Amino acid sequence: MSKAIDTIERTPEYTQFIDELNQFHARKGTTLQAEPILGGQKLDLLKIFKAVLEAGGFEQVTKKRSWKHIGDSFDFPSTCTNSAYILKGVYIRNLLGWEEETVWGKVWDPPDELRGPNAHRASTLAGKSFKKKTQSKSSARPVAPPKYTPIQPEPARFDMVDMSLSLPEPPLVFQLDQLAIRNELNQCTISEFHHQSQPHEHVHMIKEQRTDCIRANNFDESVKQRIFYSLQSSNEWEVEWALNYVVTISFERPEELRLDKTPMLLDLLLKWSNPFLEDGANPNPILKVLHILRNFSFLEINARILAADQNLKAMLEKSLITYTSKNLDLARHCIDVLENIAPYIQLNGPFDECIACLNNLLYIQERYLLIGTLRVLGTLAKTQGNQVCLISVSMATAARITQLLVINDEELVGTVLEYLYQYTRISADFRRQLLAIHSGADIGVLVSLLSTKSKYFSSSLVDDSTPNSMSPSSTTGMEGSEPHGSVPCVPNLSAYQQLDEPYRCLGWLKDKFEVTDYSSVLSLDDMYMLYEMRFGQEKALKMKEFYTVLKIAFPSTDSGNSTVGPVLEGTSVRGIQIKMSILEDGTEMLCQWTDCSQTFGDELLLQRHVIRDHVGMHQHDGIGGGAEEGGALECMWTDCADSIQEFKDKSEIATHLRSHFDDEQHSNAVNMMGSMLLDDSDVKGIALVAARLLRQLSKDPESHHYFMPYEQELLAIAKKRPKMAPHIQYVFANFSMS
């Protein structure tokens, strides 16, 4: 007899698995066939176990008649025609009990056939006989009593539910006297199937506030397989548990569920959300799936897979069409996903449904969707194969897009400029149409934007010649952290309105929310909506960054066997509530000059106060007077990086104060001093993209006719803003060439 082929990789994981399986069968009074032979080769039980769980478990594989598919990875010879039948029997005799107890939390009572001498015959419990035996067995033989008293609810239901969703009531409600009683210490006593291994940390609520302990640091292979099985279940509670767990993992450890390693996950998520999408009445279940997809799309490998999946594209397009007017949260998540995967999307021609869907969004009034749509269309145009598909449609919407340039919204205007710049680079026809729209009046708008100072907007298409700008307060706060070593020094959060992100968001969260008991549940989407309403036009964080700051603002801490602090359950946050201060705008600005604590309603009043009451007063009193008195001026702004520098006159310190204030309003305050200074600031943000766009437009042979009414204004800007002069000279050079 020839020797059986041995392809088993006896890794430490395999060895540990077989050892634990042996111990399991010994406890049950059965025997393990550690290396059964089929088709002339030894079978790897660990490999079989993982394959079956990834396909949804024994019941799903049997129901879908997928045992032949499971065996395909072993490449059995064609002469082995009954491999599926035998493989199923091998699994029943060696692995089914292990699956039921370690994955699904059931108590496995071995059939009599597995205790006798014929336990490992190929026909034992295989095929139809298994079903007959288990059915007759359940009625004839009582189940062995477990080590503890089980609770009454059906063990197939998971003890976790997001109470913010409108789901059917469970068949039974937990009562205190229904809790399981165990003799072991530090064990979870909510259900007989909940924790098969003791978790590091968890908390449970009872009655209406019960929840599962979903913690990213408890995630392992067995939890992953349980998720796959639950997503295929017809039991709403099981699906809810799986979705909430995946939401948590997607926020905290998305690399654990990379789609190239778990391709089944994307199919399960899309399949589960399809009925809700078709119905159109209840978008809430789809929100969780979109949270997951958005968080996954931040990983490049996931973004590439998502971009290539036609079912996902169809789902996003249908969601945007169906829910844009009904549920803005859902539409926003769709746009976030599209924005992340846009660099890898290949359009299927000018009639691709994605193009039509995005162009329709350009005519809505919702700011977030408008900005996201423009970014997606701009990113799609970076791929050369997409450009031909996009040009004709972009020309049809150019008039609508240019109308957005006059809206008082820095980020929206900057995004419109980037979109126009991108399309003028790839199409001469688009340049020509942009020049002629509104009889050339848009050139005047672009020229006026050359003087704009950007506080929040920073271009992603046009390289800044200077580092990305940050608000003065946050810059000094970060620089001030150097003396504290490697640990950053958090600035004063009470004046969070003046800080840059993420400190602004951190201060806002601490000001508007507080930790409370676990009966209080808030929607993560609602919390973000309040934040975005307050700072939406001031470069607000996206949802994923907002979640990270939320975890920092209200960290969870361990107290014995429970967790104190807010807990994320899917898309809900338990253990947090809104303060009454949410009704207060809190826009007062604090003067940070040394020994001054005055507050002001807006930044211009604050700047005038500093120049008149601090800089001016010190000069007249001889405390650091100007050059004419033989003294010098010092900046005494808290944490100023140049606090030791001396300034010779008012003009020099006024220029320095720009580092502490918004440039545009600061120039108004400086004018109060009578100092008419040249604007020597760097060209960045909106002004930089507007300059680059004008350079592109000037390449058209007929452009001079549209620029002519604004030549004097361009010359004046070049004289007042020396660093803008090279861009304007480039425009005039194109006129002379034409």
Side-chain angles (χ1 to χ4, degrees):
M1 180 180 293
S2 59
K3 189 176 181 181
I5 300 173
D6 187 357
T7 59
I8 299 175
E9 295 181 8
R10 292 172 176 79
T11 61
E13 180 188 11
Y14 173 85
T15 303
Q16 181 181 356
F17 177 80
I18 295 298
D19 288 342
E20 292 176 354
L21 203 55
N22 258 317
Q23 295 171 17
F24 171 81
H25 279 279
R27 291 196 304 270
K28 295 294 183 179
T30 56
T31 58
L32 171 70
Q33 190 179 18
E35 296 180 358
I37 297 175
L38 176 58
Q41 62 176 293
K42 294 183 178 181
L43 297 181
D44 184 337
L45 292 183
L46 177 59
K47 182 178 179 180
I48 297 173
F49 182 72
K50 287 184 175 181
V52 170
L53 288 193
E54 188 170 349
F58 174 84
E59 291 185 8
Q60 288 295 318
V61 173
T62 303
K63 181 179 178 181
K64 297 179 180 179
R65 300 182 179 180
S66 301
W67 285 105
K68 185 179 185 304
H69 176 72
I70 297 295
D72 286 344
S73 60
F74 291 90
D75 197 20
F76 296 125
S78 57
T79 55
C80 189
T81 57
N82 61 346
S83 59
Y85 172 89
I86 297 176
L87 190 62
K88 177 184 175 184
V90 168
Y91 193 91
I92 292 171
R93 295 188 294 272
N94 296 286
L95 297 168
L96 180 58
W98 178 261
E99 176 189 325
E100 296 215 342
E101 289 209 358
T102 61
V103 178
W104 311 122
K106 300 177 182 178
V107 176
W108 184 64
D109 185 29
D112 290 337
E113 290 85 346
L114 296 186
R115 302 180 190 272
N118 298 323
H120 289 288
R121 288 180 58 182
S123 61
T124 300
L125 296 181
K128 296 181 180 179
S129 64
F130 172 70
K131 185 175 182 181
K132 292 178 181 178
K133 291 291 183 182
T134 53
Q135 287 177 340
S136 61
K137 180 181 180 61
S138 61
S139 60
R141 178 186 177 91
V143 177
K147 295 181 180 179
Y148 52 88
T149 305
I151 58 172
Q152 297 302 314
E154 176 188 349
R157 195 187 79 243
F158 293 102
D159 292 311
M160 189 285 309
V161 58
D162 181 355
M163 299 305 294
S164 66
L165 297 180
S166 300
L167 293 174
E169 289 295 323
L172 292 174
V173 177
F174 282 123
Q175 301 295 333
L176 281 174
D177 57 357
Q178 290 179 307
L179 295 180
I181 302 172
R182 300 190 187 190
N183 296 324
E184 296 89 355
L185 296 176
N186 299 324
Q187 291 289 326
C188 169
T189 58
I190 290 296
S191 73
E192 67 180 59
F193 54 85
H194 181 52
H195 285 307
Q196 297 304 310
S197 58
Q198 179 177 332
H200 295 293
E201 51 189 357
H202 63 269
V203 62
H204 286 295
M205 310 308 294
I206 59 175
K207 297 184 180 180
E208 285 76 13
Q209 289 99 35
R210 68 183 181 277
T211 177
D212 203 359
C213 47
I214 297 176
R215 301 300 296 241
N217 60 350
N218 290 335
F219 185 75
D220 55 23
E221 188 67 26
S222 63
V223 174
K224 183 189 298 185
Q225 300 304 332
R226 182 181 171 192
I227 287 171
F228 290 153
Y229 179 86
S230 298
L231 287 174
Q232 300 175 78
S233 173
S234 59
N235 188 314
E236 292 182 359
W237 303 93
E238 295 181 13
V239 176
E240 199 68 24
W241 171 85
L243 285 176
N244 285 347
Y245 214 125
V246 179
V247 168
T248 301
I249 294 298
S250 72
F251 272 113
E252 301 186 8
R253 293 168 61 184
E255 66 282 354
E256 295 288 348
L257 287 173
R258 279 177 42 174
L259 295 178
D260 58 328
K261 296 182 178 180
T262 55
M264 181 184 180
L265 180 59
L266 178 58
D267 293 336
L268 289 175
L269 291 173
L270 296 179
K271 182 179 178 181
W272 182 84
S273 50
N274 275 339
F276 298 96
L277 191 58
E278 294 293 336
D279 179 73
N282 182 18
N284 291 327
I286 308 177
L287 276 173
K288 290 187 179 182
V289 174
L290 289 173
H291 268 286
I292 294 166
L293 295 176
R294 183 204 58 241
N295 293 343
F296 281 174
S297 67
F298 285 103
L299 294 180
E300 181 181 344
I301 184 63
N302 288 345
R304 291 182 181 275
I305 292 172
L306 294 172
D309 194 290
Q310 295 303 314
N311 292 329
L312 172 69
K313 273 185 61 181
M315 178 236 187
L316 295 176
E317 292 158 8
K318 188 164 186 177
S319 298
L320 287 170
I321 293 170
T322 305
Y323 291 112
T324 296
S325 59
K326 301 178 182 179
N327 191 299
L328 285 179
D329 283 335
L330 192 147
R332 288 179 173 194
H333 293 327
C334 288
I335 283 294
D336 286 342
V337 175
L338 282 173
E339 192 174 337
N340 288 341
I341 69 176
Y344 314 107
I345 291 179
Q346 293 288 339
L347 297 173
N348 300 319
F351 301 106
D352 192 303
E353 292 185 8
C354 182
I355 301 176
C357 177
L358 292 171
N359 282 335
N360 288 335
L361 293 177
L362 293 175
Y363 292 90
I364 65 173
Q365 302 300 318
E366 214 282 321
R367 174 186 180 273
Y368 191 100
L369 293 182
L370 266 176
I371 292 176
T373 301
L374 288 166
R375 285 175 176 163
V376 172
L377 288 169
T379 304
L380 287 174
K382 292 180 181 180
T383 303
Q384 189 171 0
N386 293 337
Q387 294 173 359
V388 176
C389 309
L390 293 165
I391 288 301
S392 59
V393 184
S394 66
M395 294 178 66
T397 57
R400 158 62 178 169
I401 293 174
T402 53
Q403 292 173 353
L404 303 175
L405 288 172
V406 297
I407 295 178
N408 184 25
D409 186 324
E410 182 179 318
E411 188 176 6
L412 177 58
V413 171
T415 306
V416 170
L417 289 172
E418 286 190 319
Y419 172 91
L420 297 175
Y421 173 69
Q422 177 67 13
Y423 280 82
T424 54
R425 291 173 62 193
I426 63 178
S427 172
D429 291 337
F430 187 85
R431 280 202 305 265
R432 195 169 299 113
Q433 182 177 10
L434 194 56
L435 285 167
I437 285 178
H438 305 133
S439 302
D442 292 323
I443 301 299
V445 175
L446 295 176
V447 170
S448 67
L449 292 176
L450 297 178
S451 302
T452 301
K453 301 298 177 64
S454 298
K455 183 175 182 180
Y456 304 107
F457 175 75
S458 179
S459 175
S460 60
L461 283 178
V462 180
D463 293 332
D464 265 339
S465 57
T466 58
N468 186 19
S469 61
M470 301 176 67
S471 69
S473 301
S474 66
T475 304
T476 55
M478 289 180 177
E479 290 173 352
S481 67
E482 291 300 326
H484 298 268
S486 60
V487 179
C489 177
V490 177
N492 178 15
L493 296 179
S494 62
Y496 61 84
Q497 297 92 343
Q498 304 172 48
L499 302 179
D500 199 3
E501 298 294 6
Y503 296 130
R504 183 180 65 187
C505 180
L506 183 62
W508 180 82
L509 284 169
K510 286 182 171 293
D511 184 40
K512 306 304 180 186
F513 298 89
E514 62 186 355
V515 175
T516 184
D517 62 76
Y518 284 96
S519 63
S520 176
V521 180
L522 296 179
S523 164
L524 179 64
D525 287 298
D526 289 346
M527 293 179 67
Y528 180 76
M529 180 192 68
L530 291 171
Y531 161 76
E532 208 269 339
M533 287 174 60
R534 175 64 181 86
F535 298 109
Q537 296 192 26
E538 302 175 16
K539 201 65 175 179
L541 297 175
K542 290 295 188 74
M543 171 65 84
K544 196 168 189 301
E545 290 76 19
F546 176 81
Y547 170 81
T548 302
V549 177
L550 175 63
K551 296 274 287 186
I552 295 172
F554 303 106
S556 298
T557 57
D558 295 334
S559 177
N561 293 327
S562 65
T563 301
V564 179
V567 173
L568 182 73
E569 299 176 9
T571 55
S572 298
V573 184
R574 184 180 292 278
I576 196 170
Q577 68 181 7
I578 300 176
K579 292 182 182 179
M580 289 304 295
S581 61
I582 195 76
L583 303 175
E584 302 171 5
D585 186 36
T587 56
E588 288 291 304
M589 306 191 75
L590 176 69
C591 176
Q592 298 185 51
W593 201 270
T594 303
D595 296 329
C596 181
S597 59
Q598 294 189 50
T599 58
F600 300 87
D602 59 58
E603 193 169 17
L604 182 57
L605 292 175
L606 172 61
Q607 294 169 29
R608 289 176 176 172
H609 157 72
V610 171
I611 293 172
R612 182 184 64 246
D613 299 334
H614 295 307
V615 176
M617 180 185 68
H618 286 182
Q619 184 182 31
H620 293 309
D621 292 345
I623 307 174
E628 59 270 22
E629 284 88 12
L633 291 167
E634 295 179 359
C635 178
M636 301 180 68
W637 194 265
T638 303
D639 293 331
C640 175
D642 298 320
S643 58
I644 61 174
Q645 179 179 344
E646 295 183 344
F647 303 94
K648 61 183 180 181
D649 54 31
K650 290 186 295 183
S651 296
E652 188 171 303
I653 194 172
T655 302
H656 162 75
L657 287 174
R658 283 180 178 160
S659 64
H660 301 306
F661 300 123
D662 174 65
D663 284 347
E664 185 174 7
Q665 294 198 27
H666 174 71
S667 62
N668 296 330
V670 171
N671 287 340
M672 185 186 69
M673 298 177 63
S675 302
M676 297 301 295
L677 305 174
L678 289 177
D679 184 355
D680 196 37
S681 61
D682 294 311
V683 179
K684 54 189 176 182
I686 286 178
L688 177 62
V689 187
R692 293 294 183 89
L693 178 55
L694 288 171
R695 290 173 63 152
Q696 287 293 329
L697 293 173
S698 69
K699 294 178 181 179
D700 189 271
E702 303 298 324
S703 63
H704 182 246
H705 300 292
Y706 299 100
F707 277 84
M708 191 180 299
Y710 309 103
E711 286 185 357
Q712 292 302 315
E713 188 175 350
L714 285 169
L715 290 171
I717 292 173
K719 184 177 181 180
K720 183 180 179 181
R721 249 192 125 166
K723 293 185 178 179
M724 180 64 76
H727 297 286
I728 296 175
Q729 291 168 4
Y730 182 95
V731 171
F732 286 141
N734 283 335
F735 295 160
S736 62
M737 292 173 62
S738 60

